[in-house]
């Protein structure tokens, strides 16, 4: 899912650039609408990738600790 997160970031950066240009962009393109659409797409991808990272994190936290291989974990 890391590749999807990278696409999300790229779309987000392009959307911000397009929105900064805003109404100063070419008249034949709906620049603001394009920027807003890209930003909404980035928000949707944030939810998807965020859920995937949450699932992976919870699986990591609930996994049993590795066996000690007979060695004591105490320092004293």
């Amino acid at each position: 899912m890391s590749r999807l997160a990278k696409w999300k970031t790229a779309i987000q950066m392009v959307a911000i650039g397009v929105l900064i240009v805003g109404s100063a962009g070419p008249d034949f393109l709906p620049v603001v609408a394009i920027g807003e659409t890209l930003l909404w797409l980035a928000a949707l991808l944030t939810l998807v990738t965020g859920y995937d990272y949450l699932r992976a994190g919870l699986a990591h936290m609930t996994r049993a600790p590795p066996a000690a291989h007979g060695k004591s974990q105490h320092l004293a």
Side-chain angles (χ1 to χ4, degrees), residues 13-14 20 35 44 46 48 56 58 60 69 71:
M13 295 299 115
V14 169
I20 287 173
L44 177 67
T46 297
V48 172
L58 288 176
H60 179 73
H69 298 294
K71 294 181 182 177

Side-chain angles (χ1 to χ4, degrees), residues 22-47:
S23 59
D27 291 332
F28 63 90
L29 282 177
V31 177
V32 175
I34 292 170
E36 289 175 351
T37 302
L38 289 172
L39 204 56
W40 277 107
L41 178 60
L44 177 67
L45 291 175
T46 297
L47 292 175

Side-chain angles (χ1 to χ4, degrees), residues 61 64 73 76:
M61 291 186 330
Q73 296 294 325

